[in-house]
Amino acid sequence: MAPCDLRDVCSFFRTFNTSKDPICIGFIRKFCGGDDSARCARKRFLRERKTEAPPDMMPSGRFYRY
């Protein structure tokens, strides 16, 4: 599958793309890499609310706690 079409504008991807956190790496591969990008909560948030999701919202819809 092709990578997510929102990668270039997604604050989650821009913020966590270089993270060494295994959870972030998994989300990047699964959602931003394309396999589950259609199920991404960040995409749904953008489509429903017409604004980008908070930067710490994970593609699963949960929030990343630093």
Side-chain angles (χ1 to χ4, degrees):
M1 267 190 123
C4 175
D5 56 329
L6 298 178
R7 282 171 57 147
D8 293 338
V9 297
C10 179
S11 60
F12 172 81
F13 182 78
R14 289 191 319 263
T15 301
F16 296 107
N17 185 39
T18 58
S19 175
K20 302 294 183 209
D21 183 323
I23 294 170
C24 291
I25 292 169
F27 276 117
I28 296 283
R29 285 184 185 149
K30 184 175 182 173
F31 290 97
C32 308
D35 291 343
D36 279 338
S37 69
R39 294 182 37 213
C40 179
R42 296 183 57 81
K43 272 187 169 183
R44 263 193 325 272
F45 189 99
L46 177 64
R47 289 184 184 132
E48 291 170 4
R49 300 182 188 194
K50 308 296 186 224
T51 187
E52 187 177 4
D56 59 343
M57 181 182 189
M58 304 291 273
S60 66
R62 301 192 92 175
F63 287 87
Y64 186 83
R65 302 296 176 218
Y66 304 84

